[in-house]
Amino acid sequence: MTDELMAFLASFAAPLATTVFFFFTSAVLSLLFAIVYVLFSRSGYLPLSAMSEFLIEVSRGVPTVLFVLLMGNLGLAPYFSGIDVEGIIPGVAYGFGLAASFIIVGLAFSSSGHLARIIEAAISTIKQDTIDYMDTLHLGALAKVRLIFFECAPALIPTVSARLVHHLHNTAFISMFPIAGIFAAMRTGVIETAKVIPYLTFATLLFVLLGTAIHVAGNVLAKRLLTR
């Protein structure tokens, strides 16, 4: 490889690390939120069920950018100025670590309602025989969760992975990926070489690869569960 090509590829290292970190942490948090919503909605306790439905509808109905702007501004509030989380999140400028942490929560919340609806739809595919089987054997909580998961996994995993691809897009757009990396690299390229097309092409391919990886991983896992 030439020095120019090596420098070009190196310019994507930091923004790639930022995107992966934001995606992974916010996706895991979003799934946890969604599971809590579903558990609350099935608790039979009206206040918890009502709160769950409210959070799901807010999450699904409000644009992601509003959550991110709100959480980012909260993270920059003087009240939190004494909290130091610098250096934890790759690619985030000094002084913005706490705001970035708040943004991760906003990103997670924005997808949590969609994931909760996906989980509910997958649970609805469970056969009545399975429900009767669980009632007859008086299974413990963990055994029930395991059985429910394996029963609805073929419907759950592909749709969850599809949603996570969309979540990746939100993460890349709002998680300071452009600010910290790609747009900076593009500006540098424009100023120094006027070759903006290679940067645009590489960024596009990068997202295609990341999204395809999520789809493939979900489909492979679903097929393995079907053949177990």
Side-chain angles (χ1 to χ4, degrees):
M1 290 186 180
T2 64
D3 291 342
E4 183 180 350
L5 180 58
M6 288 293 293
F8 170 75
L9 295 175
S11 68
F12 285 88
L16 176 60
T18 306
T19 298
V20 170
F21 184 91
F22 268 82
F23 169 74
F24 181 78
T25 53
S26 60
V28 170
L29 192 57
S30 186
L31 283 167
L32 291 176
F33 285 165
I35 292 170
V36 170
Y37 299 158
V38 173
L39 292 175
F40 279 6
S41 65
R42 292 172 172 267
S43 66
Y45 185 53
L46 185 58
L48 285 180
S49 179
M51 181 176 67
S52 173
E53 287 298 317
F54 173 76
L55 291 174
I56 289 173
E57 291 308 315
V58 171
S59 169
R60 295 174 70 225
V62 179
T64 301
V65 66
L66 295 184
F67 293 130
V68 171
L69 290 173
L70 172 63
M71 297 302 290
N73 278 281
L74 285 175
L76 291 172
Y79 178 80
F80 299 107
S81 60
I83 302 176
D84 183 16
V85 293
E86 304 303 333
I88 296 176
I89 303 175
V92 175
Y94 182 82
F96 291 92
L98 186 61
S101 301
F102 274 68
I103 287 172
I104 286 173
V105 175
L107 286 165
F109 182 68
S110 71
S111 286
S112 61
H114 300 282
L115 290 170
R117 291 295 187 229
I118 290 171
I119 293 172
E120 289 174 346
I123 291 175
S124 69
T125 65
I126 298 175
K127 301 179 182 69
Q128 186 60 43
D129 291 346
T130 303
I131 298 174
D132 295 339
Y133 173 74
M134 288 190 293
D135 292 338
T136 302
L137 295 182
H138 303 290
L139 299 174
L142 289 177
K144 283 184 178 180
V145 169
R146 184 175 182 275
L147 187 58
I148 289 172
F149 172 75
F150 282 113
E151 183 73 15
C152 65
L156 177 66
I157 293 175
T159 48
V160 167
S161 65
R163 175 63 205 179
L164 290 180
V165 172
H166 188 273
H167 185 78
L168 170 68
H169 300 166
N170 290 339
T171 302
F173 176 68
I174 299 174
S175 70
M176 289 175 275
F177 181 48
I179 297 172
I182 288 297
F183 280 11
M186 286 171 55
R187 285 195 297 270
T188 301
V190 171
I191 293 171
E192 295 180 357
T193 67
K195 294 179 180 178
V196 69
I197 297 301
Y199 290 92
L200 287 171
T201 303
F202 192 88
T204 301
L205 290 173
L206 182 59
F207 285 115
V208 169
L209 291 173
L210 290 172
T212 301
I214 295 169
H215 273 311
V216 170
N219 290 334
V220 168
L221 182 55
K223 288 179 179 178
R224 287 187 178 180
L225 291 172
L226 280 172
T227 56
R228 62 181 291 275

